[in-house]
Amino acid sequence: MVAYGFKRFFAPQIVAGIKRQTVRADRRRHARPGEHMQLYQAMRTRHCRKLLDPDPVCTDTLPIVIETSSLLDCIIAAIEIDGRRLHRDEIEAFAGADGFAPEHINHLAIDMHGKTARENMGAFWLANHPASLFEGVLIKWRPAD
């Protein structure tokens, strides 16, 4: 079983079933479709808390490329999932599904006060991923049966 840790401001969305995906850098082993996953807040600290019980099930693990540019107000220049480049409207929907919708995050996250999910994702991405090209995986899940 694979475990993933999340920042505190994502926890309410995960518990409510709003956020059902995560973008991660490549590592030795990610969850595979059909496998149960463990989702935690503050993993590897004394404040660690499991977010969902029973454990959700991985539905997809897809390659993702995210391009950023500090020359753009929204920072996120392009997103490609499984070889398909997303249109502008699809990027906004993706950023919302990934937990960056203003109505869900602006009051919880420091330095995220964007008017769009794409702006919030861009601020987060710039702070946590300084390179302009990120290649990793998109992991999606569904509640356990």
Side-chain angles (χ1 to χ4, degrees):
M1 188 170 310
V2 179
Y4 294 99
F6 292 87
K7 300 216 180 272
R8 180 174 42 97
F9 53 81
F10 287 130
Q13 294 183 71
I14 292 169
V15 171
I18 297 166
K19 179 175 170 66
R20 291 188 183 183
Q21 67 182 36
T22 187
V23 174
R24 299 296 165 132
D26 287 326
R27 69 180 195 188
R28 191 173 50 140
R29 170 117 158 65
H30 279 291
R32 297 179 184 128
E35 280 186 323
H36 287 268
M37 309 163 46
Q38 293 181 331
L39 308 180
Y40 292 95
Q41 172 188 319
M43 198 160 73
R44 296 187 184 91
T45 73
R46 65 184 177 150
H47 304 290
C48 182
R49 135 178 122 96
K50 192 172 184 183
L51 296 173
L52 297 175
D53 193 24
D55 295 328
V57 178
C58 176
T59 59
D60 288 299
T61 303
L62 304 166
I64 187 168
V65 177
I66 299 175
E67 296 176 45
T68 59
S69 172
S70 57
L71 300 175
L72 298 172
D73 289 340
C74 61
I75 308 298
I76 304 295
I79 297 178
E80 182 181 291
I81 300 172
D82 201 21
R84 189 178 81 74
R85 197 171 182 99
L86 301 185
H87 183 270
R88 177 180 44 231
D89 296 338
E90 292 174 309
I91 293 174
E92 180 64 21
F94 175 87
D98 206 39
F100 293 100
E103 64 271 20
H104 297 300
I105 201 168
N106 284 6
H107 63 286
L108 295 175
I110 298 170
D111 297 331
M112 278 191 250
H113 306 288
K115 293 178 181 154
T116 67
R118 187 175 182 173
E119 287 177 19
N120 284 333
M121 183 179 180
F124 177 83
W125 214 257
L126 197 59
N128 293 283
H129 303 277
S132 62
L133 184 69
F134 172 86
E135 296 181 70
V137 294
L138 169 64
I139 301 157
K140 295 183 176 190
W141 64 84
R142 64 169 172 76
D145 296 330

